[in-house]
Amino acid sequence: MRSIATAAGVSATTVALALRNAPRISAATKQKVRKIAAAQGYRHDPLIGRLMHHMRTRRGTKEHASVCVLAPPAGAMRFFSARLIAGIRKRAEALGYFLSVVPFHNDNAADRSLSAALRNRGVEGVILLPLEGPPELMSGFDCRDLCVVAATSAQKKPVFHSVVPNHFDNMMLAWENLREGGARRIGLAFSTGHDLRVRHRAAGAAAWQMFFHQTEAVQPLIHGTDDVDRIARWLRAERPKVVVCDHAMGEAVAAVVARGGIGGRPQLVTTNWPSPFAAAGIDQREAEIGAATVDLLTAMIHRGETGVPVNPRVTMINGVWRTR
């Protein structure tokens, strides 16, 4: 690295920052340093990289990268997001990183100023949390000098590396446990927003179970949660003994059931355990998702992997079946 610095006419520190793609180094200097490094046959040593990270950590958080979470406004996903942020914070602090939580609204005004605000905070790594609807970070969000990981399946444009629940396998696990408990008429009730966010993966697993694996076919309800009459008509027409639902739809179904007049009281099962209305459900292990997200993000920071990846990777975390 000293020989690269001599050839480039810069300091060794500048070389190290340029090779890490640090935002404080100009694009021209980065290009110059990388060209000289390639000509001299420079290769990054991961053992030295881990040692330097350990030394920066021991000196305190002022010496190394800050990471932030872009968090949505409080809504139907508030419990999932809160548990996810707690897992992210615990892992980030264990690795010696300073974590900030930045409220994020997916609108043009926030989008244009967001990237500049993050750089002013000294942020190098960003974690995207799920919004209520399928988000698209618009062109104003300049992530060329930022390492970004999404903790959601809904991020459609641009697509980043992501760490998410294994929605398909989680639904398969729920159905299998319900079948083993004797349930045969199992219904699926999802809010439209949730179904879009998980890319229809959970609904796909439920359809497979209903049509190929010894449970009665029940027409699923995928709709808005504010149409209580529609929910009541579905319960009366389909007569499910068990309803598997996301948190938002589960609250709506529980309210309709409590009101009565639907010809029965189906058991409610949630895909976002724990839940006040459900007797059983899938624990998506948000703390594990958060930890895996931080591990991926910090590895990207060490390697200087910024911007939108050419081949986005998805890491899926399996959930666990829980009962009261």
Side-chain angles (χ1 to χ4, degrees):
M1 293 181 71
R2 284 195 296 270
S3 67
I4 295 171
T6 300
V10 298
S11 68
T13 299
T14 298
V15 171
L17 292 172
L19 294 175
R20 285 174 49 204
N21 204 25
R24 74 181 77 170
I25 306 300
S26 70
T29 300
K30 290 177 186 177
Q31 184 177 7
K32 181 180 180 180
V33 168
R34 289 170 180 171
K35 184 176 180 180
I36 294 171
Q40 293 192 6
Y42 172 82
R43 294 291 183 273
H44 174 70
D45 187 332
L47 295 177
I48 295 295
R50 284 196 292 270
L51 175 61
M52 294 305 297
H53 169 65
H54 174 69
M55 293 173 64
R56 288 194 297 269
T57 301
R58 289 179 62 86
R59 287 200 298 265
T61 57
K62 293 181 180 179
E63 297 295 327
H64 59 287
S66 169
V67 297
C68 86
V69 168
L70 295 186
M77 298 195 64
R78 60 192 180 277
F79 300 113
F80 177 87
S81 296
R83 295 192 289 263
L84 184 58
I85 291 173
I88 291 170
R89 185 180 302 281
K90 182 177 180 180
R91 184 59 175 165
E93 291 178 351
L95 294 177
Y97 281 82
F98 174 76
L99 178 72
S100 58
V101 179
V102 178
F104 175 62
H105 300 264
N106 193 26
D107 56 42
N108 288 329
D111 192 53
R112 283 193 294 268
S113 62
L114 181 59
S115 53
L118 296 178
R119 286 180 180 82
N120 290 338
R121 291 171 177 239
V123 169
E124 293 190 40
V126 176
I127 297 173
L128 304 178
L129 263 60
L131 298 175
E132 292 296 327
E136 292 188 3
L137 291 178
M138 291 163 278
S139 58
F141 181 67
D142 182 5
C143 61
R144 288 175 296 178
D145 292 327
L146 293 170
C147 303
V148 183
V149 175
T152 172
S153 302
Q155 183 58 45
K156 296 174 66 176
K157 184 180 180 181
V159 180
F160 299 103
H161 299 312
S162 61
V163 181
V164 299
N166 191 340
H167 297 292
F168 187 93
D169 282 11
N170 287 352
M171 184 60 78
M172 295 289 280
L173 178 64
W175 229 265
E176 289 163 4
N177 277 275
L178 290 170
R179 283 193 300 104
E180 290 175 2
R184 288 294 177 269
R185 194 161 185 81
I186 307 170
L188 175 73
F190 270 6
S191 61
T192 305
H194 180 79
D195 184 55
L196 290 173
R197 282 193 302 272
V198 304
R199 303 288 185 93
H200 319 295
R201 292 166 181 160
W208 189 94
Q209 289 282 5
M210 281 188 283
F211 290 104
F212 295 108
H213 215 286
Q214 301 175 1
T215 58
E216 298 178 27
V218 177
Q219 181 69 30
L221 175 67
I222 299 178
H223 201 265
T225 59
D226 55 347
D227 192 345
V228 294
D229 291 336
R230 173 73 175 266
I231 296 171
R233 289 196 302 271
W234 177 77
L235 289 169
R236 286 194 295 268
E238 297 298 329
R239 297 175 291 104
K241 299 299 183 183
V242 180
V243 179
V244 181
C245 43
D246 66 283
H247 184 83
M249 183 58 83
E251 288 184 326
V253 171
V256 171
V257 170
R259 192 177 62 182
I262 59 171
R265 297 183 67 88
Q267 175 189 356
L268 299 186
V269 171
T270 181
T271 58
N272 190 19
W273 182 269
S275 175
F277 58 77
I282 294 293
D283 176 358
Q284 298 184 97
R285 302 170 69 207
E286 292 90 342
E288 296 298 324
I289 296 171
T293 303
V294 173
D295 288 342
L296 175 56
L297 183 66
T298 54
M300 292 170 61
I301 292 173
H302 296 166
R303 296 191 297 265
E305 295 180 8
T306 60
V308 180
V310 176
N311 296 304
R313 300 187 300 273
V314 180
T315 301
M316 293 187 176
I317 305 298
N318 289 333
V320 179
W321 175 253
R322 305 288 191 195
T323 58
R324 293 196 188 281

